Amino acid sequence: MSVTISQSPVERTTHSYAGSLYLLPSDEEERQRLLAQHQLYTRLFSGRLIFPPISFSEKDDVLDIGTGAGAWLCDARAQLPEPVQLYGIDIESRLFPKYPTISANVHLSICSSTSLPSYWSSKFTLVHQRLLIASYTRDQWRCTIDEIYRVLVPGGFAQLIEIGPEYPSGPKTARHILFLDEFLASRGMLMRCAVYVADMLKAAGFVDVMSEEVVMNMGKWAGEDGVQGKDATIGAWRGMRDSVMRAGGMGHYASAEEFDKTMDEISEEWDSTEGTHATVRVIYGRKPI
Ligand SMILES: C[S@@+](CC[C@H](N)C(=O)[O-])C[C@H]1O[C@@H](n2cnc3c(N)ncnc32)[C@H](O)[C@@H]1O
């Protein structure tokens, strides 16, 4: 008689920043996911990393909030005049790029967007923030946008990029999205933050608020970019597993194994359903002079 011993999946490493509700891990697998996702998003936006009409001068400073693996920051550096100083903050340093990828004009520190240094008031020409969807409560969104406003120079721009509001509609995906809506809402978070950012910017005092959107195809049917889109998105969803199970699965998932299996099934659904896509939205606005 053979006995099969099944082991629960190993929990992934997460941040330890006090008070943060951030749902995704901060391990090497996540770092690799972020780097690949950055390459894909850069292609989706035809190589554009900076969207507002800014002509940078040598004295300008740029801030990247939730910089993670610093991929946007390092690539944006190459598009800016050499003396521009780039700052990246994150609640977790484990994902930060290592020397020699970063250079003398790149400064990384551990800090929360909800409480930026007081001496950064009116410092930055551009503040960029991408994919903080699994980070903030509604109040933290408002607080972060107020902080961005404070640290921008008059005339400076905020630029935020978020996935959504369109998501795939296959039956297995739709069930999980309903779950995510409920799970994030139970923590006061906004699954559809892409819809709200423009209004939050206007409410904080930003003017000339603009949005642009691209379609991200997901699944093998869409070739290499479809596979990348699927891996980036399902990789983020898979990364939420431990947070979901710590919350008891919310009556939707009885075990980590069941969660993983559902992610496999959703992945197959995307591979086999032509037209599967999500949208990605960039929203930017100017602090008045
Ligand atoms: C999904 S990752 C995106 C990383 C990067 N912006 C990108 O697009 O590749 C979100 C990042 O935000 C960081 N984060 C979460 N809450 C934060 C906060 N309150 N302040 C600063 N960073 C935060 C996380 O640690 C993580 O590195």
Side-chain angles (χ1 to χ4, degrees):
M1 189 178 83
S2 72
V3 178
T4 310
I5 300 172
S6 68
Q7 285 189 323
S8 292
V10 177
E11 277 202 27
R12 295 177 61 184
T13 307
T14 54
H15 71 87
S16 53
Y17 196 88
S20 171
L21 297 175
Y22 184 54
L23 300 173
L24 299 186
S26 2
D27 54 11
E28 183 54 27
E29 186 179 337
E30 175 65 357
R31 213 172 74 81
Q32 294 304 329
R33 186 189 74 80
L34 291 176
L35 292 173
Q37 178 173 255
H38 167 73
Q39 296 301 332
L40 173 69
Y41 277 38
T42 305
R43 283 199 299 281
L44 290 177
F45 283 109
S46 309
R48 291 166 74 203
L49 297 174
I50 298 170
F51 295 83
I54 306 174
S55 54
F56 287 91
S57 74
E58 300 188 343
K59 292 203 176 107
D60 288 330
D61 293 330
V62 170
L63 173 64
D64 181 20
I65 289 181
T67 195
W72 180 88
L73 199 67
C74 292
D75 277 359
R77 197 181 122 246
Q79 297 188 3
L80 293 165
E82 187 73 42
V84 167
Q85 302 296 305
L86 295 105
Y87 294 76
I89 61 137
D90 202 291
I91 52 167
E92 171 58 58
S93 63
R94 205 177 293 111
L95 300 171
F96 282 173
K98 310 275 182 283
Y99 288 102
T101 316
I102 50 175
S103 68
N105 60 341
V106 175
H107 314 275
L108 302 173
S109 56
I110 298 178
C111 175
S112 172
S113 61
T114 53
S115 177
L116 299 174
S118 56
Y119 51 85
W120 276 2
S121 292
S122 303
K123 176 175 174 60
F124 297 99
T125 306
L126 170 67
V127 177
H128 164 82
Q129 175 186 283
R130 186 173 64 188
L131 292 169
L132 276 277
I133 180 170
S135 310
Y136 303 146
T137 62
R138 186 183 286 270
D139 284 348
Q140 288 170 335
W141 268 108
R142 288 202 196 99
C143 177
T144 293
I145 289 176
D146 285 347
E147 281 293 80
I148 293 175
Y149 190 91
R150 177 177 67 81
V151 301
L152 278 169
V153 294
F157 279 89
Q159 164 181 305
L160 294 89
I161 301 177
E162 288 297 339
I163 188 166
E166 278 183 47
Y167 287 102
S169 55
K172 287 181 195 303
T173 312
R175 256 198 309 279
H176 185 66
I177 286 181
L178 271 179
F179 163 76
L180 284 178
D181 261 330
E182 195 183 313
F183 179 55
L184 266 68
S186 74
R187 303 180 153 232
M189 293 173 154
L190 301 170
M191 170 80 179
R192 316 257 163 197
C193 57
V195 175
Y196 303 114
V197 169
D199 283 343
M200 288 193 280
L201 286 176
K202 288 177 199 162
F206 284 91
V207 294
D208 301 337
V209 175
M210 311 277 284
S211 298
E212 296 182 34
E213 201 165 277
V214 290
V215 166
M216 174 170 60
N217 290 327
M218 302 192 295
K220 280 185 187 158
W221 63 271
E224 186 49 32
D225 272 2
V227 172
Q228 295 282 323
K230 178 187 76 168
D231 288 351
T233 309
I234 205 89
W237 289 6
R238 283 184 195 280
M240 289 183 197
R241 181 196 63 204
D242 298 340
S243 299
V244 170
M245 296 323 299
R246 275 195 288 275
M250 306 269 301
H252 288 256
Y253 294 107
S255 65
E257 291 83 346
E258 187 188 334
F259 187 97
D260 284 347
K261 186 164 163 278
T262 304
M263 294 305 109
D264 293 343
E265 290 168 358
I266 289 175
S267 183
E268 279 164 28
E269 186 168 90
W270 295 357
D271 277 340
S272 58
T273 312
E274 199 163 320
T276 300
H277 72 276
T279 48
V280 179
R281 190 176 281 188
V282 51
I283 308 109
Y284 51 91
R286 184 171 58 81
K287 177 174 172 175
I289 293 178

